[in-house]
Amino acid sequence: MFQNSNKLKNTFEKLKMSNPCKVAETVNKNLSDWRRFLPIISVVCTQGLKDDRHWGRILKALGPAVDSKESVNFKTIDRIFEANPHDVKKITEELEEVADSATKEYKNEMLMKGMKDDWMSVNYTCKKWKDSYILEGEAVEEIQTFLDDHIVKTQTMKGSPYAKFMLDEILDWEKKLLRNQDNLEVWLKVQAVWLYLAPVFSSDDIMKQMPVEGRNFKEVDRAWKNLMMKVNENPAALTIMEMEDLGDILNGANAKLELVQKGLNDYLESKRKLFPRFFFLSNDELLEILSETKEPLKVQPHLKKCFEGINALEFDEEKKIHGMYSAEKELIPFKNVIDPIAARG
């Protein structure tokens, strides 16, 4: 607009049109005077200006002629500029510095708000497993991605000089994110071990042979089912993020499961020492045999690993053993019938 009025003035001068030229000169002068206010207009229109942080600096830069936000207007600023023509550049630079700070601080505020808004739509997904629930993998991956991304953003923001005004909020948010990242890591570990041990300790035989570990597992089992029931009823990630006792529950369960696993490994090792051919079997295979002592047929799939020459045993309807088969299906009958149930496995 200023350039257009300048062009018009020059054109009217060349054409010697005095009256239009005077109008153009007046408009040009008014626009030139108005341009002085553009930095001020830009500053007061800056998104994110706050009374407590920015307006105090603006009023200080403008001097004692203004004492409140409401007193900042064109007339007041015009008087300030007229009274202090040599300070106009300095005042403008100070105001632009305030605007720059306000803009960068506002971006940090919006980043924090954006992160919290993102979590509003994030939910854990529970999948039915027997009489309880487990965390569904796809939802867990999404939450892990959110946590990794937001932790980086939060820690970057924490180091910004334009985020000091909200440092307490940032530190609190970072603490929640890190705590939930740790909790989720332990949660998945507990879930994996619980899934592995649940079938083992559902066996009465194992419970009788390992009473201490059995009690510990049952305690974890109850805690797990209570936790997953709550998560299934209210799966909002933000709600779960606010659960102060979640870490205690998961870490307590993890500690007990480590004791159970150690006891289980010691138990299996003792069985292998009593019958060295069990060393040919994996833990899962050995557990399948030991947890089903009343089901002799369960031993059939593992015979070839324990005894190279035995492919299978011949059982009758009462589950008594009458002989053994070689890999070539040759039957070798026993002189005496063996009753594994009477022998207690």
Side-chain angles (χ1 to χ4, degrees):
M1 190 180 290
F2 178 75
Q3 290 176 341
N4 288 338
S5 68
N6 220 16
K7 288 179 182 178
L8 282 172
K9 183 172 77 70
N10 293 333
T11 301
F12 292 147
E13 285 177 348
K14 289 178 182 179
L15 295 174
K16 296 182 179 180
M17 300 173 68
S18 59
N19 289 334
C21 185
K22 288 179 181 179
V23 173
E25 284 179 352
T26 302
V27 171
N28 188 261
K29 183 179 182 305
N30 290 338
L31 288 173
S32 180
D33 291 340
W34 184 77
R35 286 177 70 185
R36 295 186 304 165
F37 299 110
L38 284 179
I40 309 297
I41 294 172
S42 175
V43 169
V44 298
C45 292
T46 299
Q47 202 170 24
L49 281 180
K50 304 291 184 182
D51 289 345
D52 56 338
R53 295 199 306 276
H54 307 118
W55 272 102
R57 293 170 62 189
I58 292 173
L59 298 178
K60 183 178 179 181
L62 292 173
V66 291
D67 57 4
S68 67
K69 181 170 66 174
E70 289 72 20
S71 63
V72 178
N73 53 55
F74 290 126
K75 288 184 179 180
T76 306
I77 294 169
D78 189 42
R79 285 199 302 270
I80 293 170
F81 284 176
E82 290 294 334
N84 306 281
H86 300 296
D87 293 336
V88 171
K89 184 179 179 182
K90 178 185 175 185
I91 293 171
T92 302
E93 287 176 351
E94 288 179 1
L95 294 176
E96 287 175 345
E97 185 180 331
V98 173
D100 182 61
S101 295
T103 299
K104 291 175 179 176
E105 289 173 4
Y106 181 72
K107 285 182 179 177
N108 282 324
E109 283 184 295
M110 290 300 99
L111 177 59
M112 177 62 76
K113 182 180 182 301
M115 285 192 288
K116 291 182 177 180
D117 287 346
D118 286 343
W119 282 98
M120 295 294 290
S121 59
V122 178
N123 294 305
Y124 282 88
T125 303
C126 295
K127 185 166 59 175
K128 187 73 176 175
W129 194 84
K130 295 187 177 179
D131 60 343
S132 185
Y133 298 92
I134 58 173
L135 296 177
E136 196 269 325
E138 189 174 339
V140 168
E141 288 180 9
E142 181 187 7
I143 291 169
Q144 286 175 321
T145 301
F146 265 92
L147 285 169
D148 292 341
D149 181 45
H150 287 187
I151 287 171
V152 171
K153 287 179 178 178
T154 302
Q155 291 178 337
T156 301
M157 192 194 315
K158 184 174 67 171
S160 168
Y162 300 102
K164 290 181 179 178
F165 70 97
M166 54 186 295
L167 187 59
D168 288 343
E169 183 182 2
I170 293 171
L171 292 174
D172 181 62
W173 181 244
E174 180 190 32
K175 183 179 177 182
K176 285 181 182 177
L177 292 175
L178 291 173
R179 184 179 70 227
N180 277 272
Q181 187 182 54
D182 292 341
N183 285 345
L184 187 55
E185 184 180 342
V186 179
W187 202 338
L188 294 175
K189 184 178 178 182
V190 169
Q191 175 169 291
V193 178
W194 178 79
L195 284 170
Y196 172 70
L197 293 177
V200 175
F201 285 96
S202 64
S203 163
D204 291 337
D205 290 330
I206 294 293
M207 290 293 288
K208 288 176 183 176
Q209 295 173 67
M210 303 180 64
V212 175
E213 288 78 7
R215 282 195 300 273
N216 281 334
F217 180 78
K218 288 300 180 185
E219 289 177 10
V220 172
D221 189 61
R222 281 194 297 272
W224 175 266
K225 290 176 179 177
N226 288 335
L227 172 62
M228 294 309 296
M229 184 174 65
K230 290 178 183 177
V231 174
N232 185 61
E233 290 172 353
N234 190 353
L238 267 180
T239 302
I240 295 166
M241 195 179 282
E242 297 293 338
M243 289 176 62
E244 293 290 341
D245 61 342
L246 180 60
D248 293 337
I249 293 170
L250 293 172
N251 286 311
N254 186 51
K256 285 184 179 178
L257 287 177
E258 286 180 351
L259 291 174
V260 172
Q261 280 188 299
K262 182 181 182 304
L264 181 61
N265 289 334
D266 291 344
Y267 168 73
L268 294 178
E269 188 68 16
S270 69
K271 293 298 181 182
R272 288 185 172 111
K273 288 178 180 178
L274 288 172
F275 188 65
R277 288 187 180 271
F278 280 158
F279 280 104
F280 295 120
L281 301 178
S282 68
N283 283 355
D284 290 345
E285 290 168 335
L286 182 52
L287 280 170
E288 185 177 352
I289 294 172
L290 297 175
S291 62
E292 297 288 352
T293 56
K294 294 179 182 178
E295 287 293 333
L297 293 175
K298 292 285 185 178
V299 78
Q300 288 277 44
H302 312 298
L303 279 173
K304 288 183 286 187
K305 283 191 175 182
C306 291
F307 303 95
E308 185 177 352
I310 301 177
N311 191 59
L313 297 174
E314 184 181 60
F315 287 89
D316 62 19
E317 293 180 357
E318 295 179 355
K319 298 180 182 178
K320 294 178 181 179
I321 304 171
H322 291 263
M324 59 185 178
Y325 288 96
S326 68
E328 293 74 27
K329 308 297 182 184
E330 178 186 2
L331 173 62
I332 301 173
F334 293 156
K335 289 184 178 180
N336 300 312
V337 175
I338 300 172
D339 186 353
I341 296 177
R344 297 183 181 179

